[in-house]
Amino acid sequence: MKLRGLDWLIIFVKSVVSALLLMLFAIGLLLLTEVRFHTVNWLKEIEYIVTHDVWDVVIVVGAMVLLWLWLIHFFYERALLAVIASQIGELRHHILTPDATGLDQQIRVKRLRPMVENVNGLFTAAQTAMTEEREIERSKDEMIANVSHDLRTPLTSILGYLGLVKNNPGNNLSKQDITKYTNTAFAKAEQMRSLVEDLFDYTQVAQVDFKLRWAPLDLTAMLNQLAVNYELEAEDKAVVITAITNQTSIQMVGDPDRLARVFMNLISNALKYGDGATFIRLTAKVLPDNQVEVRVQNNGEQIPEDALSRLFDRFYRVESSRNLKTGGTGLGLAIVSGIVDAHGGTIRVESDAQMTSFIVRLPMEPTQ
């Protein structure tokens, strides 16, 4: 942090003036030390004191020099404070600038460094808060747009097919056509219901005060039961679903309903998007660090590399268009990620030509 030329000039003028005042003050002190004057002229008296009272002169002059140096340092600090105050006033115009760095921390006065660091900390925090606020606004607008799109598409179909049935005064439509149209409208209504339910679940998971209902559970039994529940649906797609654990019973503490939702979403995704898969495998094992690892694997089509990092973003779909051909809402994996995070765990995905694996790690007991 550098001072301007005008700042140095002001410091110089103040230093000269203070030096003159201190000189007069020193002369006054030396004269006061004398019990009686030895001359009739104060100038000659000063000469006498300098000649006969050397130690008094040294002490007074030394004290004045130290005081003068302290004053110079004080003037320098004041000038720096003025510059810092000016820069702080300018910082508010740069809060929204991503590459703004705050105050210059190269400052010679050690006593002012903590203040500069604190100001920079507040500036960085303000930048982060503003960035997060803009991201929240952008995310909210994006969410509203996505929900509007995904609701409008099936709603348009519902109104269209029901309109054909309603506007049929002459009974020109056959019973088969009416059944077809009403079934299509019902299927679209189911898509809307699924989206609303997923949206409700996501808003719950995304809340700051989202709370889990902790309870003991048997993870092995849960995975076995889920494999049985999806057995018929898997058979319809010529897929074999199995559950394999390295222990007959894995006891842990978590939210049973929420964890079941996690694995149900992962299994459903494997059935919907694992094109060409012949099996879905659920595996679980206890790790040495008091964690359990669950893998939901299938040998279906590989997930594109550029999609792996975005799979858990809300409303993201690997499909090239938002045509709902698989009936997904784009919220399932975002819900999964939120529930796993709430348990203090992690989730990641690995995919290659042979295998796609969703890997969930959870603590055996709640983390403090």
Side-chain angles (χ1 to χ4, degrees), residues 143-158:
M143 185 175 181
I144 292 173
N146 288 332
V147 171
S148 299
H149 177 278
D150 287 350
L151 287 176
R152 184 173 61 247
T153 301
L155 184 60
T156 301
S157 298
I158 292 171

Side-chain angles (χ1 to χ4, degrees), residues 8 229 236 268:
W8 285 112
N229 292 347
D236 291 340
S268 296

Side-chain angles (χ1 to χ4, degrees), residues 141-154 157 188 191 195 199 273 310 313-331:
D141 294 341
E142 179 185 358
M143 185 175 181
I144 292 173
N146 288 332
V147 171
S148 299
H149 177 278
D150 287 350
L151 287 176
R152 184 173 61 247
T153 301
S157 298
K188 297 298 181 181
Q191 288 183 357
L195 173 62
L199 186 61
Y273 305 110
R310 298 190 59 195
D313 294 347
R314 67 186 183 193
F315 293 108
Y316 179 75
R317 299 183 188 131
V318 179
E319 298 168 351
S320 58
S321 64
R322 302 181 57 83
N323 55 18
L324 295 176
K325 70 179 182 180
T326 56
T329 63
L331 288 171

